[in-house]
Amino acid sequence: IDLEGPGITLLAPPDESFINYNNIWFNWTATDYPATSINCSLYIDGTYNISLSRASGSIYYTNVSDFSAGPHTWYVNCSDNLNNTNVSETWDFTVSAPDLYINDSRIVFNNTNPDENHTINITANVTNYGGITANNVLVEFWDGMPGAGGVFIGNDTGTVTFNNGSRRFSTLWNITAGFHDIYVLVDPYNLILENDETNNNASRNISLLRSTILDPVNNTGFAYQNVSFTFNLEDFTGGQINYSVFVDNVRNGQNGTVSDNVSETINITF
């Protein structure tokens, strides 16, 4: 006479495990007399989820998705064809929260040598290393440090899927003269609960290169072939700038190096 419920062995997800995704396979075995049909019901966080029937000794498996971030519990209740029941132990697991990530190298300008007032596209590649999809992610772009004189450029909003999903956020900006530190802030107002809030900001600099002929002025006429030209080069970094001279759109072989924003005079023979 069979008066005992099936023996139950939980397999996965393991007890006290941390899971970096929210699409989870549940596995267990249930054993009774050979060829006995066993019906098992899965309970997650104390709530019924699904029932499965298998022969004694089989592995039960089912996939459950869309978990919220944080701790969860699961157990199964199994009964044989004589209605003898048994309840497994309860196991715990934790689903990781979103973890949005950006660094300096993930900020990209579509033109790294723009002219003044040229419109450039700034792109920020954001990855979600967490186990939950991050919806309505706000990304802000600033010229200079926010809260310390920075100027707001624009923002973009989108979804970044879980488990290493990535999305590119972008905005357009008319660059002005000067040296610019472009800051990108991901979820700047901490509206999304994350595993790590310290990897949401990054910055990258850009400056335009500007050349100005100071003397002679445009359309000046000369009665001689050797002419002095004074010019000024700027890239707003305070460093050295290499230059080459072009006459009638052809390089004439004169090259040199000047300091940023320091005028230089050279002679050109026509």
Side-chain angles (χ1 to χ4, degrees), residues 77-106:
N77 184 333
C78 298
S79 59
D80 60 21
N81 52 10
L82 296 177
N83 206 32
N84 298 311
T85 64
N86 191 17
V87 180
S88 73
E89 60 183 327
T90 298
W91 278 9
D92 303 315
F93 64 94
T94 299
V95 175
S96 173
D99 182 11
L100 300 170
Y101 174 83
I102 191 172
N103 63 23
D104 298 352
S105 67
R106 289 167 168 253

